[in-house]
Every structure is written in C-alpha cells, then in structure tokens.
Amino acid sequence: MIKITLPDGSQREYPKGTTSLQVALSISEGLARNVLASKVNGEVWDATRPILQDSSVNLLTWNDELGKSTLWHSSAHLLAEALEALYPGIKFGIGPPIENGFYYDVDLGGSQLNPEDFKKIEDKIIELARQNNPYIRKDVSKSDAISYFTEKKDEYKLDLLKDLNDGTITFYEQGKFTDLCRGPHIPSTGFIKAAKVMSIAGAYWRGDEKNKQLTRIYAITFPKEKELKEYLILLEEAKKRDHRKLGKELELFCFSEKVGMGLPLWLPAGAALRERLIQFMQKAQIKSGYLPVVTPHIGHKQLYVTSGHYEKYGADAFQPIKTPQEGEEFFLKPMNCPHHCEIYKSKPRSYKDLPIRLAEFGTVYRYEQHGELHGLTRVRGFTQDDAHLFCRPDQIEEEFCKVIDLVLYVFKALDFNDYTAQISLRDPSNTTKYIGSDENWKKAEDAIIASAKEKGLKTTTVLGEAAFYGPKLDFMVKDAIGRKWQLGTIQVDYNLPERFELEYTGSDNQKHRPVMIHRAPFGSLERFVAVLIEHCAGKFPLWLTPEQVMVLPISEKYNDYAKKVLDLLNNYDIRGLIDDRNEKIGRKIRDTEVKKIPYMLIVGEKEEEDQTVSVRKQGDGDAGSMSLSDFAAVIGKEIDGKLARLV
RNA sequence: GCCGAAGUAGCUCAGCUGGUAGAGCAGCUGAUUUGUAAUCAGCUGGUCGGGGGUUCGAGUCCCUUCUUCGGCUCCA
C-alpha cells in the first residue's frame, strides 16, 4: 500500500500502482469525470499514470491553469491527428499549449492552408474527440524513436530527438497518431468537446530566421461547447477595447501613409490627454528631485560610436543625415542617454552632488521592422518619459526604491492594478557576454531584488534577460487581447559611464565612476496611452480625460445659460463643451455617452430658474440637480481620490 | 524582413459566376424648439489603396507596389 496526501492535508491509503484517476474516483465520480491531470509530488502527471510510492497528489481540472494547459496540449496532438488525416504526408514541428489555447507548427509540403479550411479541421477534431481514444504513454528507446520518425520522414521530430537522451524518451499515442512527447496528457480525447481554429501564421523552425518557415496553426478547445461560445464573445468584447479602434473613434490619434508608417499623429483630444500625462509626471518628478533638461532630436555619429550603439545598431538604425558641406553624419536619436551623459560631463561632479537625476520627455526614433509596427504600441517615433540617474554604487538601492515608488504612484493614479514586475538578471552560466565587474553586478542585482522586496512587488525573476550593460526591472501589462507589453522600466547601466568616462570626485579626493540608472515609468507615452485606452476601454480617469463635462441645453432657448454654466465651470478648472445643436435632449445624451464624456449637465427652464444643473453620469444615468459649486466639489473629490500625494 | 489575410464614401459594411458603384451612420440644407441613450425630409459625397496587364468591357481576373490586420523574427 502507498500513502496519498491530498491538498487539504488528508491522507489515504491505496494499493501501489494506483492512478490519480482512481484516487479521484474514490473521492467522487463527479470529480473523476473532470480530472484532466494531476500534480504528483509537484510534477504534472497523466491522471492515468500509476503511482508507485507515497506521494502528495493534487488533482487538476479545467479550473486549474495546469489542467487547462494539459487539455490544450492534448488538443494539439488531436489537431495533429486531424491534420494528418486531412493532409497525408504532413510533417510536424512542435505543438505546445499557450496562454489561450495551443498551436502546432507543421510543414504542409507543397499545399497551403486557408481560413476556409478551418471548419473542416475543427469538424475532424471533434469527430476524433468523440472516439474518446485514450492517450497512451510509452517509453521508447532513442533508436526506436529515430527509426519511427525516419520511417515517417519527419525531419523535425528527428531534429528534436538529437537533443534528447536515451532512456528519457516517451511517445504518446491516441487513435492513429503517435507523437514524441514528454506529456502529460488528459486521459482520453473525449474531454475535448469544442474546438476552434483561430488563425494561421508563419513561424520559423526553432524560432530561427535561417531555418525553414513552417505553418503555425493556432487553435483553442474547451471541455464544453458553451465555454467556446463564451470565449468567442469575450474576444469580441476585447476587440471593442482595441486602442486602434477607440483611438479613431475618440479622435485621439491617427496615422498617415504620407507622413509614414509607424509615425503617430496626435489629434487635439489625444494631444491634450498626452500633455496632461506629461504635466502629471513632470510634477511628480520635480517633487522627487529630478532636473528637467532638453536635448535635440539628432546627435552626431561620434556620440553613438562612443556609446557603442553605432556598432550594435548602426545597421538597423535610420540612415544618417549628412551636412551638405562637411559631410558630417548625424542620426535621429534612438535614445536620450548619450545626450544626458554629455550633460553630466558638462562640469566636474562631486560625490556630494550625487545622485543627479536628469529628466526629459525625449522623442526618439527607431527603425522597427515593417511587420512589427502595431498601433501605438510599436512605432518608429515615440516619446519616452526618460530620466537618467547618476549615482554612487551605494545609492543604487535607495534610488531604485524611489523609482519604484514613482511607478506605483503612476499606476495607482491610473487604476492600473493588473501588472507584473519582472526582474531580469544575467545568465549565471554565461557571464562573459556582460560588461562590468562581477562585484558590481552582484551589487546591482542585490539592490534590485532588495528594493523590489522592500516595496512588496510581486515579481518574476528571469535569468539571462538582463541587458548586456546591466540588470533591470520591468513593469509588464497586458493589452485587450492578452498580449504582454512592457511599460515602465528601470535599468542599471555600467556601460555608458565607462564609455563616456563619467566621473565624480569622491570624499577621498579620488576619481570614481558613477553608476547610471535609466528609468521610464510610462516607458513611452505612445505605448502607455495605448495600454491605458484598452485598460479603461476609453473611459479615462476624470483628471485625464480630454473633456470632463458636456453641457446639454434642452433646446436652443437655453444655449445662453449653458454658456454661462460652462464659463463658471472653467473658473473651477473643469473643462467641457456645449452641445448646442438643434437636437432633442435624448439625442444629445446618446451622442455624449458614445463619446465617453464622464459628466453630462442638462440645463433647461427649471435649471435656469434655480441656477442649477441636472447631472447625469456617463453609464449611470440621472443623478439629480445640484448647484454648480456642489458639482465642482463632486468633481474635485473624484480627482483628488486618484491623485493622492506622492509619498 | 518572413508567412498568411485584407484594402469599396469621413466611419461600418454590401456588391453572386467580369456588363461603367450601393446602404446605414456622419456631413450639409430645411422643418421641428424639444426633459435623460438615435425627430423628420431633402441633398452632397467614391479616378473601388497606387501602377501595369488580360478583355469590346475590370471593384470583380492576372502581375507588381504601398498600407493595414494576425503571427514569426527583432526590440538600445
């Protein structure tokens, strides 16, 4: 007998070789019907795999992330089986689960797949799922595995096998399909009740541009038909939040082919919003001891030779601008730090001066690949809320903490709660590709980890993701359809101070090298606004929104009173517009709702007489009448609640 | 840059197998003077992304180019 410990701490005894599924069955039949996989001693296993020793078992269902991904992984095999049935001779790359569903990379040989084929594939998947074939795990020797895929002429699987050790190789078989796979899998295909092929795309084998491009088929499956429907509705809803769509509807920004792709044009409403964000940040930064500076949009080639960027990115950058007489080369600046380094160097610095925090809303230009441009999140010209902190090594942690405070203040003011913080450290197994001494790296990495901890950030740590010049802390958020974007970033840099030979005089009267911290709480205004739009679905916080109120006269008779109301509101620093069109009030309300303006003030005979306004909140409906000073107080309170002081 | 899809009025879209473009909204004009999510009527508006070709005839077929969308690769 073996002892099985369940997540609630209870222990039960079972015969040796009992499976998780049998454990589930002993608890309840309903549970057993829903078990997709299980976690045995922390490792995800097939629910049908015999357990041979005392273990802790955590049964996984659709409600567990790991249960979901197991179902999707198994679905990828099912997709492969369907594809093999429909397209004989097809070759398979890899087919992993992803955040929303799964994909399989396939080599279709000569033939092509079109969206019209999706239905056919989905039907086949469901047909095969209904056969309820079990997923059967098999240990195979490396030589047997090689001969199987050699026979099948699947060079991709053979390529994968090269990196695997004999004795650790397993196959999974369901129905007529056998795949090289570590597992685990769901007990049988019958758990898959609904399938949808989402899209196809090219993907290089092993992610390498030099390799052959395979066809990647994205799909998603569900254990219930209803859940697929709900998912599709959710996707539709998410599309309505897309910043490209809302940006157009709310007239925030646009693009022009004539101006050039990836070069956003900010429309008046968008520019006002952007300007407000800048002022907000400027104010917070000045409070935190930053010194605003201004530098030009171009820089001499020599600046980037010194910084090392010319060597590293010269080929990808925009081409240089040449002066007509001397033939000197200038580049559009791809970042602000080299300029700021030269500002640091403009006079001798003492240890007493540090830290020096130079801030600039610097517009930078980068050559992004054509296929990479994406709304406002990936553009060729953008403005960073950039700053560079020059400090002593012993100041890194304190400065880091202060920057984290600033980022959190920004996120709070904008109701950003759903972010993750990623600490990127260097790859300990390959320290040679990084610049800077081991000692300094350790200091910086420790400082980041300590400050993130001190600030109570929920972090993920990724080894090998550090920049070559230093470790960093990035704040990531997701867009409407779940794509992850980096917003705020804090990066330690040992490289530039070295290259620009920055120094300060220490208390020992010796020259020392300062450490530089790059930081941008928004990241770029463009990307930040994009994510913000999607985050709030275009309903911006009151302090930020382009227009806070719309005054709606009941008829043209009350346009004069409406004008007076707006003038008084302006005195309270409340911004708004009047809808003085010759339309009925219902129409004006509807149009204002669609524009997502937070407050509507309806004025007619009654209001003019009482010198009041009838307040209607966007999305909420009639909120009754009040005097203008009362209304101004309501607005003021709502804004103050968000813009609590930076501590 | 690579793979795939798309581009028709300011916006959202229709236009079957080729026979010289259509709707709703927006805009303009007029009527209406309105009480909490669309008042009515009339009118304007498109070299169908650009260029080339096939054809008696191209929004529709072919080639090419640009842009956009979904991915891949990249991201100082």
Side-chain angles (χ1 to χ4, degrees):
Chain A
M1 297 296 275
I2 53 169
K3 216 184 281 170
I4 299 292
T5 310
L6 294 166
D8 64 0
S10 67
Q11 292 193 332
R12 294 173 181 230
E13 295 222 333
Y14 294 92
K16 187 171 172 181
T18 294
T19 67
S20 307
L21 197 57
Q22 286 162 336
V23 171
L25 198 58
S26 75
I27 297 168
S28 92
E29 215 173 294
L31 179 61
R33 270 201 304 273
N34 288 311
V35 167
L36 300 172
S38 76
K39 213 182 205 176
V40 178
N41 298 324
E43 206 176 307
V44 185
W45 277 28
D46 301 321
T48 52
R49 185 164 166 188
I51 301 167
L52 302 173
Q53 55 195 330
D54 291 356
S55 300
S56 69
V57 169
N58 188 355
L59 300 166
L60 300 171
T61 68
W62 179 249
N63 294 322
D64 301 289
E65 282 309 309
L66 287 168
K68 247 180 214 171
S69 62
T70 304
L71 182 109
W72 284 336
H73 186 187
S74 302
S75 300
H77 284 229
L78 197 57
L79 167 66
E81 187 181 355
L83 290 168
E84 194 161 59
L86 294 168
Y87 307 92
I90 186 172
K91 292 171 192 173
F92 296 97
I94 55 165
I98 50 176
E99 201 167 342
N100 289 303
F102 55 93
Y103 66 79
Y104 220 119
D105 284 345
V106 299
D107 182 348
L108 287 156
S111 57
Q112 238 197 31
L113 212 55
N114 292 304
E116 297 84 69
D117 303 320
F118 288 3
K119 180 82 174 58
K120 196 168 61 179
I121 298 169
E122 289 157 10
D123 290 347
K124 194 74 187 175
I125 290 174
I126 295 306
E127 180 195 322
L128 293 169
R130 289 210 177 113
Q131 294 175 5
N132 200 19
N133 294 314
Y135 286 86
I136 302 160
R137 178 189 167 93
K138 286 182 183 164
D139 289 306
V140 289
S141 69
K142 188 159 181 171
S143 60
D144 285 351
I146 290 173
S147 58
Y148 177 81
F149 284 111
T150 306
E151 170 118 0
K152 219 180 154 191
K153 296 199 180 89
D154 199 327
E155 66 252 38
Y156 306 104
K157 294 293 177 189
L158 288 169
D159 193 30
L160 291 173
L161 274 168
K162 267 190 230 152
D163 298 335
L164 299 178
N165 293 323
D166 202 5
T168 62
I169 297 170
T170 51
F171 277 7
Y172 273 82
E173 181 187 311
Q174 99 275 358
K176 291 191 181 124
F177 182 75
T178 302
D179 204 353
L180 169 69
C181 183
R182 189 187 315 139
H185 283 283
I186 58 176
S188 64
T189 61
F191 286 83
I192 299 161
K193 294 282 201 288
K196 180 90 186 160
V197 177
M198 301 304 293
S199 65
I200 45 179
Y204 301 107
W205 172 236
R206 301 206 143 184
D208 190 333
E209 252 178 309
K210 291 190 272 298
N211 287 337
K212 181 163 180 185
Q213 190 157 45
L214 306 180
T215 304
R216 177 167 296 179
I217 302 167
Y218 286 89
I220 191 164
T221 51
F222 293 90
K224 282 182 188 154
E225 184 80 36
K226 193 172 133 233
E227 294 190 67
L228 170 60
K229 287 209 179 88
E230 284 168 0
Y231 176 72
L232 293 175
I233 290 168
L234 203 75
L235 269 189
E236 286 304 309
E237 287 300 311
K239 274 189 196 151
K240 288 183 192 158
R241 295 175 159 246
D242 192 311
H243 76 277
R244 290 164 298 188
K245 184 177 156 62
L246 285 170
K248 192 184 268 178
E249 283 171 12
L250 301 176
E251 298 184 16
L252 299 172
F253 61 88
C254 69
F255 290 90
S256 147
E257 286 187 24
K258 274 216 181 72
V259 171
M261 55 177 167
L263 299 170
L265 304 175
W266 290 84
L267 303 172
L273 184 138
R274 180 191 149 107
E275 197 55 38
R276 217 158 277 128
L277 279 174
I278 289 175
Q279 281 162 11
F280 162 74
M281 182 62 73
Q282 191 86 271
K283 210 166 148 187
Q285 285 183 165
I286 286 173
K287 232 179 244 176
S288 309
Y290 287 75
L291 307 168
V293 294
V294 176
T295 66
H297 285 238
I298 61 174
H300 198 285
K301 175 180 167 184
Q302 197 51 45
L303 183 67
Y304 302 109
V305 170
T306 302
S307 72
H309 291 109
Y310 181 78
E311 194 189 3
K312 196 164 164 55
Y313 293 101
D316 295 329
F318 288 113
Q319 293 307 298
I321 301 159
K322 282 191 190 169
T323 55
Q325 303 286 324
E326 309 82 351
E328 281 183 303
E329 294 184 334
F330 289 84
F331 285 87
L332 284 165
K333 68 174 170 187
M335 79 296 291
N336 305 299
C337 26
H339 288 79
H340 290 186
C341 284
E342 286 302 300
I343 290 179
Y344 179 88
K345 280 190 87 167
S346 64
K347 68 172 190 179
R349 307 287 182 176
S350 147
Y351 73 99
K352 296 178 192 164
D353 300 333
L354 302 185
I356 291 170
R357 313 182 185 90
L358 303 180
E360 175 175 20
F361 291 86
T363 304
V364 298
Y365 300 89
R366 295 179 185 175
Y367 174 76
E368 300 290 357
Q369 290 191 90
H370 178 278
E372 200 44 59
L373 300 169
H374 182 93
L376 279 187
T377 48
R378 199 70 191 275
V379 288
R380 285 181 169 172
F382 56 95
T383 302
Q384 297 176 307
D385 57 331
D386 209 0
H388 296 96
L389 320 184
F390 300 88
C391 63
R392 306 190 304 261
D394 63 285
Q395 293 172 317
I396 294 178
E397 187 173 334
E398 191 189 339
E399 286 308 304
F400 234 88
C401 282
K402 280 185 169 170
V403 176
I404 293 172
D405 281 338
L406 191 62
V407 173
L408 295 181
Y409 170 64
V410 170
F411 281 16
K412 182 175 167 257
L414 293 158
D415 289 324
F416 262 103
N417 305 315
D418 192 19
Y419 60 86
T420 54
Q422 179 181 312
I423 298 177
S424 300
L425 306 177
R426 67 177 176 170
D427 180 357
S429 63
N430 181 12
T431 55
T432 52
K433 62 176 184 180
Y434 303 96
I435 161 166
S437 69
D438 285 353
E439 186 200 358
N440 276 339
W441 269 86
K442 183 163 184 349
K443 235 184 254 171
E445 293 189 343
D446 288 350
I448 293 181
I449 294 165
S451 45
K453 196 173 170 197
E454 190 186 324
K455 293 298 163 189
L457 292 180
K458 268 184 292 169
T459 57
T460 55
T461 303
V462 191
L463 297 176
E465 274 298 297
F468 73 94
Y469 50 77
K472 57 180 182 171
L473 173 66
D474 293 322
F475 291 82
M476 324 282 285
V477 291
K478 281 187 202 161
D479 70 8
I481 50 177
R483 282 177 294 216
K484 261 193 184 175
W485 296 99
Q486 177 206 314
L487 289 184
T489 180
I490 318 175
Q491 312 184 358
V492 179
D493 188 345
Y494 293 110
N495 180 43
L496 286 183
E498 196 71 38
R499 285 180 161 270
F500 279 88
E501 299 177 317
L502 305 183
E503 350 186 271
Y504 64 89
T505 307
S507 54
D508 54 3
N509 200 26
Q510 300 293 304
K511 296 292 185 196
H512 296 274
R513 189 125 292 163
V515 180
M516 199 171 157
I517 298 174
H518 308 248
R519 46 101 283 175
F522 291 148
S524 90
L525 281 162
E526 283 72 11
R527 182 176 291 178
F528 192 84
V529 168
V531 175
L532 179 63
I533 291 170
E534 306 203 349
H535 178 73
C536 65
K539 294 173 193 164
F540 298 105
L542 191 57
W543 65 272
L544 188 61
T545 196
E547 302 298 341
Q548 295 168 318
V549 301
M550 178 71 92
V551 186
L552 307 178
I554 292 288
S555 82
E556 288 179 338
K557 282 187 214 154
Y558 311 104
N559 283 354
D560 287 344
Y561 178 60
K563 179 83 177 60
K564 189 179 148 199
V565 165
L566 189 60
D567 283 346
L568 288 167
L569 288 175
N570 288 341
N571 290 341
Y572 286 110
D573 276 334
I574 295 168
R575 48 186 184 275
L577 297 170
I578 298 174
D579 185 351
D580 56 4
R581 292 176 305 165
N582 179 6
E583 289 290 350
K584 294 171 88 163
I585 194 66
R587 175 56 180 272
K588 292 184 182 183
I589 288 168
R590 195 197 123 80
D591 288 349
T592 311
E593 288 277 351
V594 170
K595 283 183 191 151
K596 304 185 198 297
I597 294 176
Y599 286 97
M600 281 160 266
L601 300 181
I602 294 155
V603 295
E605 188 179 357
K606 194 154 61 79
E607 288 74 17
E608 182 164 16
E609 207 159 283
D610 305 343
Q611 293 292 294
T612 58
V613 289
S614 173
V615 178
R616 186 188 163 101
K617 192 165 180 177
Q618 204 259 351
D620 277 2
D622 198 344
S625 296
M626 60 182 84
S627 72
L628 270 180
S629 56
D630 285 352
F631 175 69
V634 168
I635 297 275
K637 206 173 154 197
E638 187 175 333
I639 291 175
D640 287 348
K642 285 292 165 242
L643 295 185
R645 291 185 52 167
L646 173 61
V647 278

